[in-house]
Amino acid sequence: MRKTDLHELRKDPLLGRWIAVLNPPKSPAEYVLPLQGTNEDTCILCSGRESETPSEIMAVPRVSAGGARGWWTRVIPNFVPIFHIEGELGRIGEGMYDRMNSIGANEIIIESPEHVTSPEDLGTDQMIRVILTYRERMADLEKDSRLRYTLIYKNSGRNAGAVYSHPISHLASTPVIPKRVKEELDGAKEYFAYKERCIFCDIFREELSLGKRVILETKNFLAFCPYASKFPFESWIIPKRHNCAFQDIGAGEIEDLALVLSTVLKKLRTLFKGLAFNYFIHSAPNRIPRKNHWHTLGEDFHWHLEIMPRLLTTSGFEWGSGFYVLPTSPEDASKYLREV
Ligand SMILES: [Zn+2]
Ligand SMILES: [Zn+2]
Ligand SMILES: [Zn+2]
């Protein structure tokens, strides 16, 4: 890609959030695209068609009984990346505005060699491999001092923004801390400054002792519906061990997380057939570039995974006010999820 083709990041001077402007721009006709790779014949993410994808970043290898080599999970660059790894940040002011080049990383994590089978349906071992892949990519990208944040996220179902029907998740590494993450970091820091305790540790202790919003509890994790959820059946998975960065997860925790994540996703899919959902991991920003920037980060932030079922469309009220309406309370939602 030529340097002139880099997308542009612009900062909203009022709210401080960054947005990406794509280059070349899309025409109105290009906004309606069919779901790609809807069957195995046309899907290049399936095993056996590796030569048709961009070059592999990493893979969890699979050696079958006969000695044939394949993969369990595979990571490739995004076909239409918003962020590019080559180039300079080129931060500049444009009058009162700020912009920079969209330096970063955009990767596709192929969660399963099979087209129709999600990792949670392939058993805990496959979910473990997916989580190991997440951890390896996060740890690798943290070494790049230009990058400030890595978000791992999943879009499942067209209503949740999925473009491919093969089971995949995504990774985006950005040169700025996204606004939504910064709000959490600031909120956690403020709580810590006041109480000298991690807010997330306090939340899971509170939820455990009350029990009425708990979906399930294991040795290392708690899954629950947050007290002030934004969406009905919103579910969080939080590690019991205080730790700000997901990539510092231990081997026992990975096994446990695989089990909890698989179980919660299966429960949601049992309640809602064909459910569209997103999930994402909120972890600490890269600690390498500015070790002293977030002074209490290691103590005040606590990584977690948020699952957002897409059961409602966002109305003008939510967009205009940032005020969310919950038709099912988190207490009722967690009861349905516990019992299914
Ligand atoms: Zn496929
Ligand atoms: Zn904590
Ligand atoms: Zn979060």
Side-chain angles (χ1 to χ4, degrees):
M1 172 159 282
R2 299 192 318 273
K3 212 169 177 180
T4 49
D5 284 338
L6 282 173
H7 306 309
E8 190 178 307
L9 300 183
R10 295 184 182 181
K11 191 177 190 179
D12 180 329
L14 180 63
L15 299 173
R17 75 178 157 219
W18 289 82
I19 56 115
V21 184
L22 302 192
N23 185 22
K26 230 182 196 188
S27 68
E30 290 173 278
Y31 278 87
V32 188
L33 285 175
L35 196 68
Q36 291 175 36
T38 44
N39 63 61
E40 282 157 273
D41 300 338
T42 57
C43 177
I44 60 167
L45 301 178
C46 282
S47 67
R49 300 188 64 173
E50 292 77 12
S51 62
E52 294 168 65
T53 67
S55 55
E56 186 172 291
I57 297 166
M58 72 157 280
V60 173
R62 172 190 196 174
V63 182
S64 62
R69 302 186 75 82
W71 49 270
W72 287 111
T73 67
R74 205 168 163 252
V75 182
I76 56 171
N78 204 317
F79 295 99
V80 269
I82 297 167
F83 301 98
H84 294 275
I85 205 79
E86 307 89 18
E88 299 296 322
L89 279 175
R91 276 175 181 267
I92 57 163
E94 259 185 332
M96 68 172 282
Y97 301 113
D98 296 299
R99 74 171 172 94
M100 68 170 100
N101 292 326
S102 62
I103 301 301
N106 238 194
E107 300 174 1
I108 293 177
I109 297 154
I110 310 173
E111 299 171 348
S112 163
E114 288 171 40
H115 189 77
V116 289
T117 322
S118 294
E120 65 267 27
D121 297 324
L122 284 174
T124 313
D125 283 350
Q126 184 62 13
M127 201 51 127
I128 290 173
R129 295 179 194 114
V130 170
I131 295 166
L132 279 168
T133 311
Y134 290 171
R135 181 180 72 170
E136 192 161 319
R137 293 310 303 138
M138 291 268 289
D140 188 40
L141 287 159
E142 191 171 33
K143 294 177 200 149
D144 189 330
S145 63
R146 295 168 308 163
L147 306 177
R148 299 293 305 280
Y149 198 78
T150 297
L151 184 77
I152 285 183
Y153 62 98
K154 182 174 170 80
N155 307 329
S156 184
R158 184 76 200 204
N159 288 344
V163 180
Y164 301 97
S165 55
H166 196 104
I168 56 170
S169 22
H170 293 267
L171 173 156
S173 263
T174 54
V176 290
I177 299 177
K179 171 118 181 341
R180 168 84 163 75
V181 175
K182 192 164 179 304
E183 284 169 355
E184 277 195 12
L185 290 165
D186 289 342
K189 196 176 174 185
E190 217 170 279
Y191 186 90
F192 185 83
Y194 178 56
K195 298 212 174 179
E196 296 188 353
R197 292 197 307 267
C198 162
I199 186 166
F200 297 93
C201 284
D202 275 9
I203 288 174
F204 97 69
R205 277 193 290 260
E206 181 81 11
E207 293 301 337
L208 255 184
S209 74
L210 291 171
K212 61 184 174 183
R213 282 178 292 271
V214 170
I215 304 165
L216 73 117
E217 186 201 351
T218 60
K219 183 170 168 247
N220 299 294
F221 288 91
L222 182 74
F224 67 102
C225 296
Y227 177 72
S229 302
K230 288 184 292 304
F231 303 105
F233 292 86
E234 176 177 333
S235 308
W236 284 34
I237 298 173
I238 189 165
K240 291 181 180 173
R241 177 170 73 94
H242 176 85
N243 185 4
C244 71
F246 164 77
Q247 58 269 41
D248 296 343
I249 189 171
E253 285 174 314
I254 291 180
E255 274 180 42
D256 211 0
L257 177 61
L259 179 74
V260 175
L261 180 56
S262 298
T263 310
V264 176
L265 292 178
K266 283 185 194 170
K267 280 173 173 284
L268 283 164
R269 284 173 24 205
T270 310
L271 285 181
F272 306 102
K273 299 277 171 262
L275 175 74
F277 67 88
N278 299 103
Y279 72 62
F280 43 83
I281 296 172
H282 274 160
S283 181
N286 284 7
R287 292 160 293 175
I288 312 294
R290 299 188 185 184
K291 268 209 163 91
N292 300 317
H293 185 64
W294 298 91
H295 297 279
T296 56
L297 180 70
E299 291 165 288
D300 68 41
F301 196 68
H302 190 132
W303 78 265
H304 54 277
L305 188 150
E306 300 183 29
I307 306 168
M308 304 282 172
R310 302 291 289 261
L311 297 164
L312 303 173
T313 50
T314 311
S315 83
F317 180 60
E318 282 94 1
W319 285 119
S321 65
F323 203 123
Y324 290 85
V325 180
L326 273 184
T328 310
S329 74
E331 294 75 29
D332 286 331
S334 63
K335 187 168 179 285
Y336 285 115
L337 289 167
R338 268 197 308 277
E339 288 171 2
V340 75

